[in-house]
C-alpha cells in the first residue's frame, strides 16, 4: 500500500497502449460503499477494518464520523458527476451501532448530494447482538431497505468459539424482527467451524431456511493473516469433512428454492444482491469511510483509491485536509485482466464475453492464452460467448483466477 498522504489523487500517466483513444465506450453501473469501523467485540476470525469500542461507553463520536463521511462523499462528486447510484452498502464493523437518528442524517445527506436510482438498494450490515425492534424500525424509516445479519451459526457452542456476542435464540429473534421491517433480509452463515459435524451444519442451514429469507450467504471459515485465529488456530474439520458439509447443504439450499449465483451467495428468484453483483461484474463504486476502497472508471482510465484505515486518523485527515486518501492510482492495463477475472469468475453464470471489453477497454485476445489453458484444464466453460467457470473451476477458483495474473 502506498503510504503517501497527498491531498490530491496522483494518477499514473497513460501507457502508450492506452493513449490512442478512449478505452471504455460506456461507464459501468455505480454503487456507494460506506464503511463503519467500530464493533462491540472483535471476532477472532475477522480481518476487516474494525475496531472494538471501549467497554462501558459508546466508544465513538457518531456526529464527528458522520460529518467526516459527508465531507468524504463531497470530495468524490466531481469524479462521478452526472452518474446515478444504483445501490448503497453500509458495512463494517457493526453499522447497526449507529443511532437511527444518525443513520437518517447520513442517508439524507447522501440523497441531497447524489442521484439515486428510484429503486436503489440500500443495505446495512447488522449484528444480532445489537438489534432492537425500535432501532430497526428507525433504520427502515431512514431508508434502509435491505439488512444483512451476521448470524454465522445458531448453536451457542459454535457462536462462543467464533467469539460472537449473540446466542442462538438472539439470532432467531433478530431475524424475526428484521423480517417485520425490511422487504429483503440476508443471513450470513459459516461452515467448517471448529469441531463442526455434518449434523450440526445441517441443523444450521435448516434453521436458516425455516425463516424463508430471500437471500443467504454461506461461506467457509478461513484462517486469515493478522487475526487471532491465524496465531492460535482452532481445530477445524479436514478438507473431506468440509466438502461433505458443503455438498450436503448445497443440496438443502437448492431443494428449498435457493440458487447459487456466486461462490458463497444464494438467492430466491430475482432476489440477488444488486450491490455485490455490481462488484462481481467489475462495476464502479465510491468508497467512503475509514479504510474504504473505491473504483471509478473514466473513458480513458480506471482508477482505485484507498483511505486511511484507523478511524481517528481518517477523521483528522478529513478535518484538516478535506481528504483521507493514502492511495489513488490508475490501474495499469496489464493488471486489468486479472482484476476483472478475479471478480466475474465468482459468478456461477459468469458474464457475456463482450463484458470483458466493455469493462476493461481491452480486447479479449490479451487473455487468449490463459483462456485456452483454463479450458484445457476443465476450469472454464467452452461456450465462446461466455466467461464462466465450470463446476470444477468454482471448486478450484484460486487456481483458475491465477491463470490470469
Amino acid at each position: 500500500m502506498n503510504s503517501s498522504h497527498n491531498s490530491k489523487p496522483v494518477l499514473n500517466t497513460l501507457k502508450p497502449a492506452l493513449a490512442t483513444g478512449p478505452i471504455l465506450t460506456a461507464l459501468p453501473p455505480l454503487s456507494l460503499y460506506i464503511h463503519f469501523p467500530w464493533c462491540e467485540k472483535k471476532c477472532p476470525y475477522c480481518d476487516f477494518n474494525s475496531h472494538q469500542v471501549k467497554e462501558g461507553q459508546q466508544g465513538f463520536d457518531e456526529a464527528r464520523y458522520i460529518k467526516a463521511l459527508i465531507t468524504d462523499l463531497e470530495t468524490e462528486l466531481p469524479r462521478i458527476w452526472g452518474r446515478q447510484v444504483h445501490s448503497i452498502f453500509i458495512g463494517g464493523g457493526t453499522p447497526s451501532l449507529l443511532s437511527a437518528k444518525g443513520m437518517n442524517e447520513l442517508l439524507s445527506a447522501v440523497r441531497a448530494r447524489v442521484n439515486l436510482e428510484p429503486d436503489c438498494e440500500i443495505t446495512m450490515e447488522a449484528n444480532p447482538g445489537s438489534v432492537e425492534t425500535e432501532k430497526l424500525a428507525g433504520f427502515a424509516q431512514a431508508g434502509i431497505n435491505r439488512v444483512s445479519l451476521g448470524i454465522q451459526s445458531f448453536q451457542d457452542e459454535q457462536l462462543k468459539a467464533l467469539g460472537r456476542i449473540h446466542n442462538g435464540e438472539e439470532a432467531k429473534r433478530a431475524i424475526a424482527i428484521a423480517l417485520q421491517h425490511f422487504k429483503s433480509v440476508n443471513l450470513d452463515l459459516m461452515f467448517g467451524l471448529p469441531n463442526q459435524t455434518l449434523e450440526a451444519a445441517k441443523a444450521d442451514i435448516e434453521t436458516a431456511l425455516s425463516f424463508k429469507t430471500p437471500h443467504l450467504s454461506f461461506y467457509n471459515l478461513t484462517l486469515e493473516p493478522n487475526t487471532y485465529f491465524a496465531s492460535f488456530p482452532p481445530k477445524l474439520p479436514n478438507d473431506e469433512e468440509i466438502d461433505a458439509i458443503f455438498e450436503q447443504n448445497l443440496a438443502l439450499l437448492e431443494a428449498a428454492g435457493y440458487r447459487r449465483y456466486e461462490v458463497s451467495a444464494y438467492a430466491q428468484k430475482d432476489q440477488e444482491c444488486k450491490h455485490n453483483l455490481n462488484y462481481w461484474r467489475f462495476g464502479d463504486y465510491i468508497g467512503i469511510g475509514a479504510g474504504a476502497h473505491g473504483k471509478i472508471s473514466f473513458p480513458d482510465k480506471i482508477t482505485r483509491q484507498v483511505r486511511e484505515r484507523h478511524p481517528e486518523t481518517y477523521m483528522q485527515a478529513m478535518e484538516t485536509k478535506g481528504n483521507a486518501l493514502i492511495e489513488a492510482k490508475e490501474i495499469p492495463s496489464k493488471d486489468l485482466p486479472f482484476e476483472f477475472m478475479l471478480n466475474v469468475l465468482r459468478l456461477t453464470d459468469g458474464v457475456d464475453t463482450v463484458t470483458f471489453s466493455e469493462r476493461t477497454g481491452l480486447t479479449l485476445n490479451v487473455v487468449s492464452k490463459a483462456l485456452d489453458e483454463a479450458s484445457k484444464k476443465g476450469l472454464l466453460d467452452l461456450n465462446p460467448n461466455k466467461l464462466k467457470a465450470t463446476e470444477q473451476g468454482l471448486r478450484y477458483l484460486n487456481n483458475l483466477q491465477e491463470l490470469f495474473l
Side-chain angles (χ1 to χ4, degrees):
M1 184 178 289
N2 188 335
S3 60
S4 65
H5 294 256
N6 297 310
S7 59
K8 292 183 180 179
V10 180
L11 300 178
N12 298 337
T13 55
L14 287 174
K15 296 182 181 300
L18 297 181
T20 54
I23 63 168
L24 299 181
T25 55
L27 299 179
L30 177 67
S31 296
L32 169 63
Y33 175 76
I34 303 172
H35 191 73
F36 180 85
W38 291 282
C39 56
E40 290 179 79
K41 183 183 177 186
K42 182 78 172 177
C43 296
Y45 57 84
C46 177
D47 68 335
F48 293 121
N49 183 30
S50 58
H51 304 262
Q52 188 167 317
V53 295
K54 294 175 183 175
E55 197 172 344
Q57 55 181 297
Q58 188 184 25
F60 61 94
D61 187 333
E62 178 176 285
R64 185 183 174 209
Y65 191 68
I66 290 172
K67 186 178 179 182
L69 288 172
I70 295 167
T71 305
D72 199 356
L73 178 61
E74 287 173 345
T75 67
E76 286 297 293
L77 296 182
R79 288 160 46 81
I80 54 101
W81 209 253
R83 298 178 66 179
Q84 274 196 323
V85 169
H86 89 141
S87 66
I88 299 172
F89 196 102
I90 306 167
T94 306
S96 51
L97 291 176
L98 275 168
S99 68
K101 181 183 175 185
M103 183 67 76
N104 185 61
E105 181 187 346
L106 175 60
L107 290 179
S108 295
V110 170
R111 283 189 286 265
R113 287 162 177 79
V114 298
N115 182 15
L116 302 185
E117 287 187 2
D119 60 345
C120 183
E121 176 190 88
I122 306 177
T123 302
M124 177 191 72
E125 290 183 333
N127 188 323
S130 61
V131 164
E132 302 160 11
T133 304
E134 189 178 338
K135 204 174 185 184
L136 277 192
F139 289 145
Q141 200 168 9
I144 301 292
N145 52 33
R146 185 176 184 274
V147 163
S148 181
L149 291 170
I151 303 295
Q152 316 315 357
S153 175
F154 291 96
Q155 294 166 55
D156 292 350
E157 187 180 340
Q158 295 289 4
L159 290 167
K160 189 175 179 181
L162 291 171
R164 304 296 288 170
I165 64 169
H166 66 276
N167 60 34
E169 286 307 309
E170 287 170 333
K172 294 172 189 175
R173 175 179 168 272
I175 299 168
I177 294 170
L179 286 169
Q180 291 172 19
H181 296 288
F182 303 97
K183 66 178 183 179
S184 187
V185 176
N186 169 63
L187 307 182
D188 269 345
L189 292 170
M190 299 172 84
F191 68 98
L193 305 180
N195 301 304
Q196 188 178 42
T197 63
L198 201 61
E199 293 74 23
K202 183 179 182 183
D204 270 349
I205 282 291
E206 288 179 336
T207 303
L209 291 174
S210 71
F211 288 96
K212 297 181 170 60
T213 61
H215 195 284
L216 287 167
S217 299
F218 179 55
Y219 54 98
N220 189 6
L221 171 64
T222 53
L223 305 184
E224 301 291 350
N226 304 314
T227 62
Y228 180 85
F229 272 0
S231 302
F232 304 95
K235 187 181 186 310
L236 301 179
N238 60 40
D239 289 346
E240 283 186 10
E241 291 168 327
I242 287 172
D243 284 348
I245 289 171
F246 173 76
E247 295 297 342
Q248 166 193 261
N249 288 10
L250 174 61
L252 289 169
L253 285 160
E254 289 180 341
Y258 290 81
R259 188 178 79 90
R260 185 190 189 197
Y261 70 97
E262 188 267 345
V263 169
S264 305
Y266 302 77
Q268 293 175 352
K269 184 175 171 56
D270 300 324
Q271 294 296 318
E272 294 85 357
C273 175
K274 283 174 62 177
H275 188 88
N276 286 342
L277 273 176
N278 193 39
Y279 287 154
W280 296 322
R281 289 170 177 162
F282 209 51
D284 281 354
Y285 52 96
I286 309 160
I288 62 172
H293 291 233
K295 169 188 171 278
I296 304 292
S297 300
F298 298 88
D300 62 345
K301 59 181 177 272
I302 300 171
T303 64
R304 283 203 184 278
Q305 295 180 334
V306 184
R307 279 140 172 85
E308 290 278 5
R309 276 182 65 84
H310 196 279
E312 179 60 34
T313 312
Y314 166 79
M315 288 186 288
Q316 285 179 6
M318 292 309 307
E319 290 159 356
T320 59
K321 299 188 298 183
N323 186 324
L325 295 177
I326 58 172
E327 185 175 307
K329 65 179 183 179
E330 180 181 335
I331 306 174
S333 57
K334 65 181 176 60
D335 294 342
L336 284 170
F338 175 68
E339 291 216 14
F340 178 86
M341 295 297 183
L342 188 68
N343 288 282
V344 302
L345 292 177
R346 295 179 62 89
L347 294 167
T348 57
D349 287 344
V351 294
D352 292 339
T353 309
V354 295
T355 310
F356 180 81
S357 296
E358 290 173 353
R359 298 289 159 92
T360 67
L362 306 173
T363 59
L364 199 62
N365 62 15
V366 300
V367 290
S368 57
K369 185 178 176 183
L371 292 174
D372 288 344
E373 190 176 349
S375 299
K376 287 173 184 173
K377 290 183 174 181
L379 303 176
L380 199 68
D381 195 284
L382 295 173
N383 183 344
N385 298 316
K386 280 279 185 184
L387 294 171
K388 175 184 173 183
T390 60
E391 283 295 323
Q392 188 179 359
L394 289 172
R395 186 178 289 268
Y396 300 103
L397 188 59
N398 288 345
N399 302 72
L400 173 56
Q401 291 164 335
E402 283 170 4
L403 294 174
F404 297 93
L405 267 174

